[in-house]
Amino acid sequence: MHYDHFIIGQGLAGSLLAWRLLTAGRRVLVIDNGNVAAASRVAAGLVNPVTGKRLVREPKAETYLAEARACYGRLAGQFGVDFFHDKPMLRLFDNDEIKLSWAKRNDDDEYRGLIGEALGSDECGFETGGFIQYQTGYLLTSPLLNTLSQWFKQQTAMLETEFSYADLQFGDTIRWQDHSADGVIFCEGARVINNPWFRHLPMQPSRGDILTLQTDDPLPTWIINSGQWLLPLENGLFKVGATYDWPRPGQPLQEKGSLQGREKLLSVLHRLAPTVKHYQLVEHRAGIRPNSKDKRPLIGFHTQHPRLAVFNGFGSKGSMLIPYYARHFADVLLTGGRLDTDVDIKRWL
Ligand SMILES: Cc1cc2nc3c(=O)[nH]c(=O)nc-3n(C[C@H](O)[C@H](O)[C@H](O)COP(=O)(O)OP(=O)(O)OC[C@H]3O[C@@H](n4cnc5c(N)ncnc54)[C@H](O)[C@@H]3O)c2cc1C
């Protein structure tokens, strides 16, 4: 069978791009190896436009948030499942830097509607006090990927298998096994560092641990953020995350939960949920984030082989950024328009 695009990887990036292209009438074959430790399968899916101790606002926050809401709303309409949930976040005042950052940002018009007034300990129930962040929430990434995988299969647009670069054959069309396509879009997440055509891209993957726990004790109603975060779910379930490990020479990052990571996350639990005294560990997972060195997405075409493209580099913010860039890159592929220069891989030439 002949396709317009092979898409390698069915994480959130490959999934939303394939969904856009199929919806626009393109013939797509998604190839994924079903890795349960893929970043999108491990992530908590938090959406948060104001991050870090300096409370830095994502420059195009309104645009990204509007597109994320529109995209997840459209998917909810198509499949009858609310994959995205709004939930405000309480950012704790647990050090002087964060208090200073809040004081500075609170007077800044750019932060209007994103951060709220300071709350004392009696108002928020946390000794340190804090402030509420708005326009935050979480995406149920695994249910969304499972739903899209089923939908792709119904349209013979998906194969579950390991993809090997050596199996691509180049001629008038690009052949892979019994299939051919006009082009290949690599959406392999952190594994792009092994890609012979795109391994030169400046990736800086980071590994993260995440815990799912259960308690009968009362949980906060907000997402709690103190560098590490706690996400309350239903029926006493909650997630705590995430650690950051950067690669060291000769030590590749492992997609396996580490004892160190688990201890680190359990050690901050009393700060994130002082009311939780007893809990059970339900799951401990780890994955590798596809961070780029300049913290911007890496999208575009190979200069010598323009039939090969990459859609990657969404780092720690895939849930907020991917809907916007899946639409943008699909428009480029469908209409031949220009890619935003700040995400185009040509900036690294
Ligand atoms: C611990 C942790 C917590 C995170 N928390 C958040 C969060 O709260 N909010 C947020 O927005 N982001 C979060 N992220 C980041 C988020 O997961 C990423 O931004 C996003 O999921 C990246 O999606 P992707 O599709 O580019 O990559 P991936 O999810 O890694 O998907 C790549 C896919 O390609 C497949 N693949 C790769 N190579 C091959 C091959 N050769 N053959 C076949 N298949 C292949 C993989 O199996 C995988 O399915 C977190 C990540 C981690 C690890």
Side-chain angles (χ1 to χ4, degrees):
M1 173 132 177
H2 184 75
Y3 296 90
D4 296 304
H5 313 278
F6 290 146
I7 291 189
I8 315 303
Q10 197 238 327
L12 192 58
S15 294
L16 293 188
L17 185 62
W19 172 70
R20 280 268 166 213
L21 291 168
L22 282 163
T23 309
R26 285 282 170 105
R27 294 160 300 172
V28 172
L29 181 65
V30 181
I31 301 159
D32 189 273
N33 58 14
N35 178 10
V36 289
S40 306
R41 299 248 168 217
V42 173
L46 297 181
V47 166
N48 176 14
V50 178
T51 54
K53 281 188 192 152
R54 291 172 52 233
L55 298 177
V56 177
R57 172 187 176 279
E58 185 67 42
K60 290 206 273 186
E62 275 78 14
T63 311
Y64 294 146
L65 289 168
E67 188 54 47
R69 281 183 188 286
C71 169
Y72 300 136
R74 203 170 141 194
L75 286 161
Q78 184 172 343
F79 297 108
V81 182
D82 286 325
F83 298 105
F84 180 72
H85 296 264
D86 280 293
K87 203 172 246 313
M89 177 181 279
L90 176 71
R91 185 76 201 247
L92 299 181
F93 277 145
D94 51 3
N95 60 61
D96 288 341
E97 205 177 340
I98 195 87
K99 283 185 202 162
L100 285 172
S101 301
W102 174 82
K104 192 166 145 204
R105 307 304 191 194
N106 194 37
D107 286 337
D108 186 335
D109 277 352
E110 293 224 315
Y111 286 75
R112 189 158 302 151
L114 295 177
I115 62 173
E117 291 303 312
L119 300 176
S121 53
D122 47 338
E123 290 163 299
C124 68
F126 284 78
E127 232 171 74
T128 57
F131 64 94
I132 301 291
Q133 286 188 229
Y134 299 102
Q135 301 277 0
T136 55
Y138 63 100
L139 176 71
L140 297 173
T141 39
S142 272
L144 173 57
L145 298 194
N146 293 341
T147 301
L148 283 173
S149 159
Q150 284 305 317
W151 187 70
F152 296 149
K153 284 177 194 160
Q154 282 160 14
Q155 305 179 58
T156 51
M158 169 133 192
L159 283 177
E160 277 176 18
T161 183
E162 180 71 28
F163 169 86
S164 166
Y165 305 108
D167 291 344
L168 280 187
Q169 293 167 26
F170 296 90
D172 291 342
T173 62
I174 302 176
R175 295 202 63 82
W176 175 79
Q177 298 190 350
D178 295 336
H179 311 280
S180 64
D182 294 336
V184 186
I185 308 169
F186 291 100
C187 306
E188 313 147 282
R191 282 183 63 173
V192 71
I193 57 171
N194 303 317
N195 185 311
W197 299 282
F198 293 107
R199 65 176 152 223
H200 64 283
L201 291 175
M203 291 291 289
Q204 200 170 43
S206 67
R207 182 188 162 286
D209 288 83
I210 212 165
L211 304 180
T212 306
L213 302 139
Q214 185 149 38
T215 185
D216 292 330
D217 295 335
L219 279 166
T221 48
W222 301 298
I223 301 167
I224 309 298
N225 186 344
S226 153
Q228 259 77 45
W229 45 259
L230 179 146
L231 170 64
L233 299 164
E234 284 169 356
N235 306 320
L237 279 176
F238 61 106
K239 285 184 189 275
V240 178
T243 56
Y244 273 84
D245 293 329
W246 304 95
R248 287 187 223 141
Q251 289 183 358
L253 294 170
Q254 304 290 328
E255 289 171 329
K256 223 176 94 190
S258 75
L259 185 60
Q260 227 181 356
R262 188 170 75 191
E263 283 174 357
K264 161 91 186 156
L265 294 175
L266 292 178
S267 75
V268 295
L269 187 54
H270 69 284
R271 236 177 38 220
L272 298 169
T275 48
V276 172
K277 305 289 180 210
H278 305 98
Y279 57 82
Q280 278 181 323
L281 180 61
V282 177
E283 195 172 50
H284 176 189
R285 299 182 72 186
I288 304 182
R289 303 174 185 89
N291 306 87
S292 65
K293 281 196 176 149
D294 65 355
K295 299 190 169 64
R296 299 296 299 146
L298 293 162
I299 307 176
F301 302 91
H302 194 282
T303 32
Q304 271 97 53
H305 307 285
R307 291 183 294 177
L308 304 182
V310 66
F311 186 64
N312 207 318
F314 298 101
S316 317
K317 297 190 178 173
S319 309
M320 181 168 68
L321 302 184
I322 293 172
Y324 175 83
Y325 286 108
R327 181 177 175 174
H328 174 51
F329 195 39
D331 285 347
V332 169
L333 293 161
L334 293 165
T335 65
R338 276 174 64 90
L339 252 177
D340 288 352
T341 49
D342 65 324
V343 294
D344 193 333
I345 54 170
K346 283 198 188 116
R347 71 190 186 279
W348 290 104
L349 276 181

